[in-house]
Structure formats: structure tokens, C-alpha cells
Amino acid sequence: LYLSQYNRSDFGPIFNLEAGYENNTSLGVSLADVRNEHYAFLLNGATGDVYGNEDVWPFATSWRDWQAARNSPGAHQMTYFANLVKSIAWSKLVPDQTGTVFTGIGSPTDYSGAYTTDGTLAVAYKPSTGSGAQSFTVNMGKFVGSVTAQWYDPTSGAYSPIGTFANSGTHTFNTPSSNSAGANDFVLVLRSSATVPAAPTGLTATAANTAVTLTWTASAGAVSYNIYRSTASGSEIKIATNPATITTTSYTDTGLTNGIK
């Protein structure tokens, strides 16, 4: 449902106003269902979310008091959900609809994932199937640098470190067998940051008439180079060709005055 709205040509912000309420026994809504609803909303394009409790909205005074229900397990788990949302760049997440980052997305149903297009963050969630590990296969080449992986327990708000991995090939992450509530739904959080390349080495300058050609050894990880011109250290002359951004390892600067270094 959320993806169909996200994919509309006249897309607007999508807000979840009402889903299955905690303690709604008539509809058979479990705590695992409540978690699944909200994490799926987040990773499939929603921009806002509301949690409901069957005993709070009517101010129930029966055997389940509405005041006590404010401290229910579901209320705590929605706090953990909010904490995760606030800790990531959620507004930049793009739903993964075709397995760009997470292979086999949508199988099982509600296996949801999203990523940022700058390659710095990806998040995925699989709903509970009971107990036992679940696996996430990830295209690591979609990240800008090495990837720090963590499990987030949606029933306790606790992170568990997995490790740091190269941003190449694919990797399968297997969840712990159960979370703090005895179910097996976990959130996989993958973060990455670009590694700043080292300064190029082997720089040489070959003079010509009113020009100079610079060559250097490529720097690992660099995809482009900035060239500046100056007659004094730290004082670049701002001219039309300066700075020049190039993708090769040589550059010829023209229009110079012979005899000026």
C-alpha cells in the first residue's frame, strides 16, 4: 500500500494515521504485528506515523486501565522505534523496491529496506516469523566506503555490533536467533563514510612556452583532482580555469607568463 502511494506521479507526503492497535484482541493484533507495521511504514516511504493502544484511546477503566496501558510493552517499543528514527537520516531514505541493496526484498512479505542514494546508510527489517535466525543478503558495492553493520533490537532499543566490512561484493548477515521479547525480528543498520584519498605523489612539472604540464601518480580512491594556480603559497589566483577539476593524472595550464614561477 505505501509503495503504491510512494510511486504515484503526483506523490505527496504519506502519513500513517491508524494501523492495528496494541491489545486489539478482536483483530488478533500481536506486539510483533505492531512492530512490523511501523518499521514497514518507515522503510516504504512514509513521512509520519501514529501508534495506537486499544485501552488508551477510549480511556478504558475495565480490567486494563488506560493509565497503566501507557506503560505497555508496545508503548516502550514505539519509543525505541522513535529513537532509531531520530538517529538516522530517515528523510533521505529511498525504499529499496528492486533489490538494489537488499537482495530478495519483499520476500517474505513485509521484508522492507531503504537506502540513501549517497551510499552512506541502508536500513532493513524482517518481521518476526517466530524464532531462529533470519538472513539479509546485501550488495555491499552500493556503499561509498567500508561498512559498519549493527543489529537493532526493536523490543529493547539495544544495538549489537556485527563488524566492519568492505564495500564490494555481497555479504549475508544472519540475525541472532531471538530478540529480548523472544521473537526473531531485527533491524539491520548499515552505515558508511567515504575515505579521504591521500595527496597525490610523484608530481612533476614540464615547462613550455606560456604553459606548464603537470603529471602525478594516481591516488587510491580518488575520482577527480582539483588544480589551483598561484604565485605564492596559499594565495590562489582566481581565473576562469581555476580551480580545474579533472579525472586524469595530467593537466596542462596555459596562458601563463614566461619567467614567472
Side-chain angles (χ1 to χ4, degrees), residues 3 48 70 72 84 102 133-134 137 145 147 150 175 178 185 204 206-207 214 216 222 228 233 250 255 257 261:
L3 284 178
R70 294 181 301 169
S72 68
L84 175 65
F102 299 102
Q134 300 197 76
T137 300
V147 180
Q150 295 174 295
T175 71
S178 63
D185 53 322
T204 62
T206 303
L214 306 174
W216 59 90
Y228 295 86
S233 178
S250 66
T257 301
K261 295 182 179 180

Side-chain angles (χ1 to χ4, degrees), residues 163-182:
T164 302
F165 304 86
N167 60 326
S168 62
T170 60
H171 187 87
T172 298
F173 297 91
N174 296 306
T175 71
S177 59
S178 63
N179 56 37
S180 72

Side-chain angles (χ1 to χ4, degrees), residues 177-225:
S177 59
S178 63
N179 56 37
S180 72
N184 67 344
D185 53 322
F186 282 87
V187 183
L188 177 60
V189 182
L190 304 170
R191 295 183 172 93
S192 180
S193 59
T195 301
V196 178
T201 59
L203 176 64
T204 62
T206 303
N209 184 33
T210 67
V212 63
T213 298
L214 306 174
T215 60
W216 59 90
T217 302
S219 179
V223 296
S224 64
Y225 302 89

Side-chain angles (χ1 to χ4, degrees), residues 81-160:
F81 172 74
N83 289 342
L84 175 65
V85 172
K86 289 187 291 185
S87 72
I88 61 175
W90 69 269
S91 62
K92 296 181 180 180
L93 290 173
V94 175
D96 190 349
Q97 303 185 56
T98 59
T100 299
V101 176
F102 299 102
T103 301
I105 203 76
S107 179
T109 302
D110 288 345
Y111 169 20
S112 303
Y115 60 92
T116 58
T117 56
D118 62 4
T120 61
L121 174 69
V123 182
Y125 173 81
K126 281 190 176 182
S128 176
T129 60
S131 62
Q134 300 197 76
S135 62
F136 296 73
T137 300
V138 179
N139 181 358
M140 305 297 285
K142 294 300 181 180
F143 294 91
V144 294
S146 60
V147 180
T148 299
Q150 295 174 295
W151 295 117
Y152 186 75
D153 184 342
T155 67
S156 70
Y159 281 100
S160 298

